[in-house]
Amino acid sequence: LGLKRTEDAVGNLVVYRPGSGGGESAATVMVQAHVDMVCEANEGVQHDFWKDPIKLIRDGSWIKADGTTLGADNGIGAAACLALMEAGPDVPLPPLECLFTVDEETGLTGAYDLDASMLSAKTMLNLDSEDWGTVTVGCAGGGNNVVRLPVKREDAASSAIPLRITVKGLMGGHSGIDIHQDRG
């Protein structure tokens, strides 16, 4: 497409699309999507998310993954950004800054370490929503805390029985929409 792009130190990418179809002089709008995914395989399924393709299955009108997470958490947002970037010259759009952030799922590193000097837009549309056809105003937010507590180590009594505790078989879900489901 020949569009200008830039990347910051943590891997966030911004692609700049000029306005078109009469929107050339409008205020720039940033559209944002994250490009990482939750990588989980079902018990007994061997899957290397760095090398193995996601195996898709059709379940009625739904496309699902066979034995793993689908990896489409914010794929629709990224696809929407790509569609906007390749929209024709007659499509009325303002200048766009398409921001693709990294590491949303495991720490929001892309958001926290974003080099804001890459951006000029005063309006941002975050395309990571839960409900089709719904615009959400607000944010669930996120944060990291580091807690350091003094630890006093002692040898275990000779009569102590070592235990290994494993928690598994819980139902998955997304903290944004399934938090009320008490899924652990």
Side-chain angles (χ1 to χ4, degrees):
L1 298 173
L3 299 174
K4 181 183 166 198
R5 68 158 197 85
T6 189
E7 185 175 338
D8 67 14
V10 295
N12 295 313
L13 177 69
V14 180
V15 180
Y16 306 92
R17 184 199 186 277
S20 60
E24 292 82 357
S25 61
T28 300
V29 174
M30 179 195 334
V31 289
Q32 182 268 330
H34 69 88
V35 294
D36 61 322
M37 64 180 263
V38 175
C39 299
E40 292 291 331
N42 293 348
E43 187 173 345
V45 174
Q46 296 296 317
H47 189 88
D48 182 339
F49 282 89
W50 290 106
K51 297 178 185 173
D52 301 335
I54 303 294
K55 296 175 186 169
L56 302 178
I57 54 175
R58 183 179 297 273
D59 182 7
S61 62
W62 290 91
I63 299 292
K64 297 181 177 183
D66 186 12
T68 66
T69 51
L70 181 59
D73 173 51
N74 199 207
I76 192 70
C81 287
L82 296 172
L84 287 168
M85 286 190 294
E86 68 177 14
D90 296 334
V91 175
L93 286 172
L96 297 174
E97 295 173 341
C98 297
L99 171 62
F100 300 91
T101 55
V102 299
D103 193 29
E104 187 263 0
E105 299 294 351
T106 58
L108 293 170
T109 305
Y112 284 127
D113 294 336
L114 173 68
D115 179 355
S117 71
M118 302 186 302
L119 304 163
S120 66
K122 303 293 184 217
T123 301
M124 174 184 168
L125 299 174
N126 177 311
L127 302 179
D128 189 8
S129 180
E130 307 299 338
D131 300 309
W132 180 254
T134 300
V135 174
T136 304
V137 178
C139 177
N144 290 330
N145 293 304
V146 176
V147 177
R148 288 180 173 46
L149 300 172
V151 175
K152 180 181 174 190
R153 298 188 183 269
E154 298 178 3
D155 291 335
S158 60
S159 60
I161 300 171
L163 299 174
R164 176 175 294 197
I165 299 173
T166 302
V167 177
K168 61 182 182 176
L170 301 174
M171 298 216 25
H174 193 284
S175 60
I177 61 171
D178 293 326
I179 198 164
H180 66 289
Q181 298 286 336
D182 294 327
R183 293 183 172 178

